[in-house]
Amino acid sequence: MATDQEIREAGYKYIPLQKYLLNPFEIPTVEETDVVNEGIVNTDAFNNDKNFSVYNADPNKIVNMNPNTYALQDARKKNELSYVGKTLPGDTSPLYSTKTAAMKHMGMYPEYYGLDKPPPSKIEELLAKGIGFIPGIGTLTRFANFASGMLPVNRRAIMENQLGTQGVMVNDIGQIVIGPGGSYNTPEGIMAGYNPYHMTDETFTNRQAKIGETLQEKYGLTQQQVDGLISGELTEEDFTGKQYNLKGTNKQTNLITNLINIEKARKNFSDATGTTDKIFDIKTDTKTNNQNQGDGGGTYIGGGASLQDAGGTYDGGYHGAEGGFENTGSNQNVGGGASYDNAAETGAKDGFGYGLKYGGLVSIL
């Protein structure tokens, strides 16, 4: 409860003393905002439904509310299956002669390939059969896991899915929004209004710099204190006292927690971007393989049309599982070396992949 003195300092000079009021008077609080020159941020200001905005999003327009948390594993599995019938340059024996052989191999590493994930829901099974609309229910993709097993080789769609796994909601026009139950001043909501497809690391650091300047000019923080908040060495609990409160209130300025949450969001965005790149490269390789069925080679994620052109690094996870090193038909090793003896890692002969504990797309992991 605000004191009579705080009420007067806040400019409310005609409010009776608290002891004479039936209900205690609380000073309205207005959070500070950090204005950043990032161009025009679309906040749905002209939306016909005034109840919805990027800060209170229409749930029906959120595209990644139920993300596929196994997107990376699904991509690895599909990529491995794309090598059925494929051969390495100079070989005559396929990496996998049948789909069963590939599945048998992947079964030895269920977590890596997502084989340990829960069975598909009834909705996912319908989607897999091409049934995407049911009268009385509508479009099933709204209720199913976002792009479950159906993600195109589209970096934006993949990125939005990965953000969804972190609780960051994106609407149908590509904006970060605050979904049901969410809050703005959180790592998930602090970038509301921004388009993640156009964001870079500087999007976050520029905002932090502007907030840091305000905290120094208005609240007397030093650059060292600002840096400490960003690094995590300092927290909002380290700043108590009236000098850090919003004018006329006993509430600490929200710019301190804004600064902290932007840094958390920056790190989460970096993680999502890294995983997005992995999935994109894997799915691109898979698409190439599927478009070149029967050509005996395909392409290699290392960048070349042959194993040698790719830099001598084997491209796919655990290929040659059936016969191990002897039956791969090649003296290349996933550790990156040109032979078993100079593989980049341990060189342990496990019958599946040399120099890599879990195999799989070495050049992008």
Side-chain angles (χ1 to χ4, degrees):
M1 183 177 73
T3 67
D4 293 318
Q5 181 62 32
E6 289 174 336
I7 292 173
R8 299 298 178 270
E9 291 177 351
Y12 297 91
K13 299 179 181 180
Y14 301 102
I15 301 296
L17 297 178
Q18 291 279 38
K19 64 182 179 180
Y20 298 122
L21 296 175
L22 181 62
N23 296 310
F25 178 79
E26 292 293 344
I27 301 172
T29 59
V30 179
E31 291 194 344
E32 293 182 275
T33 57
D34 52 294
V35 180
V36 182
N37 183 18
E38 292 286 347
I40 298 175
V41 178
N42 188 335
T43 59
D44 291 343
F46 301 101
N47 194 315
N48 291 330
D49 189 339
K50 298 300 182 181
N51 293 323
F52 292 124
S53 70
V54 294
Y55 306 110
N56 177 36
D58 182 350
N60 294 315
K61 293 185 178 180
I62 296 176
V63 299
N64 64 341
M65 190 171 295
N66 296 295
N68 175 13
T69 58
Y70 286 89
L72 178 58
Q73 291 92 329
D74 286 348
R76 287 169 174 161
K77 176 183 175 183
K78 188 173 182 180
N79 182 256
E80 201 74 22
L81 290 173
S82 75
Y83 282 89
V84 173
K86 294 286 183 174
T87 60
L88 290 173
D91 290 346
T92 57
S93 300
L95 296 168
Y96 299 115
S97 56
T98 64
K99 180 178 178 180
T100 300
M103 291 300 299
K104 178 181 177 182
H105 156 66
M106 288 189 286
M108 298 186 66
Y109 309 91
E111 292 183 4
Y112 185 86
Y113 291 105
L115 301 180
D116 60 335
K117 70 180 181 180
S121 66
K122 294 298 182 182
I123 290 178
E124 290 174 317
E125 290 178 353
L126 290 173
L127 286 171
K129 296 177 181 179
I131 302 174
F133 183 86
I134 293 180
I137 295 180
T139 304
L140 294 179
T141 50
R142 179 188 301 176
F143 307 98
N145 280 347
F146 174 70
S148 178
M150 300 172 66
L151 283 173
V153 186
N154 179 308
R155 195 180 185 282
R156 173 175 171 173
I158 298 171
M159 181 67 177
E160 290 174 351
N161 180 77
Q162 290 311 116
L163 289 173
T165 66
Q166 298 178 346
V168 178
M169 301 291 97
V170 179
N171 65 15
D172 55 356
I173 59 174
Q175 298 169 298
I176 293 177
V177 296
I178 300 172
S183 300
Y184 173 73
N185 198 6
T186 62
E188 296 77 26
I190 196 68
M191 301 304 292
Y194 286 79
N195 186 322
Y197 197 67
H198 299 295
M199 287 162 54
T200 66
D201 196 63
E202 288 186 352
T203 306
F204 299 88
T205 57
N206 286 343
R207 283 191 69 185
Q208 290 174 322
K210 292 293 184 181
I211 293 175
E213 290 175 6
T214 302
L215 288 172
Q216 292 177 71
E217 296 171 0
K218 189 173 181 179
Y219 294 98
L221 271 69
T222 65
Q223 184 62 53
Q224 185 177 5
Q225 288 175 314
V226 170
D227 293 340
L229 284 167
I230 294 175
S231 68
E233 296 177 6
L234 298 176
T235 68
E236 62 269 32
E237 284 77 19
D238 293 304
F239 298 86
T240 58
K242 280 192 173 183
Q243 69 268 36
Y244 305 117
N245 291 347
L246 287 166
K247 184 178 180 180
T249 76
N250 58 1
K251 181 180 179 182
Q252 183 188 71
T253 172
N254 54 282
L255 293 181
I256 290 176
T257 47
N258 282 174
L259 191 68
I260 294 171
N261 284 321
I262 290 173
E263 177 61 15
K264 292 178 180 178
R266 186 187 70 81
K267 292 178 179 177
N268 291 342
F269 180 80
S270 178
D271 290 342
T273 301
T275 303
T276 296
D277 290 341
K278 291 179 183 180
I279 296 173
F280 181 82
D281 287 345
I282 294 170
K283 292 177 74 69
T284 299
D285 181 70
T286 303
K287 182 178 180 180
T288 301
N289 283 344
N290 291 336
Q291 290 175 338
N292 291 282
Q293 288 291 345
D295 67 1
T299 62
Y300 294 82
I301 293 177
S306 69
L307 185 60
Q308 290 74 20
D309 292 342
T313 302
Y314 200 41
D315 73 293
Y318 311 115
H319 297 318
E322 289 285 290
F325 183 74
E326 288 77 16
N327 287 342
T328 60
S330 171
N331 201 31
Q332 309 296 326
N333 298 278
V334 299
S339 68
Y340 172 79
D341 293 329
N342 67 4
E345 298 290 340
T346 62
K349 185 178 181 182
D350 59 11
F352 299 100
Y354 295 89
L356 191 64
K357 184 177 181 181
Y358 292 113
L361 303 164
V362 178
S363 63
I364 65 171
L365 295 184

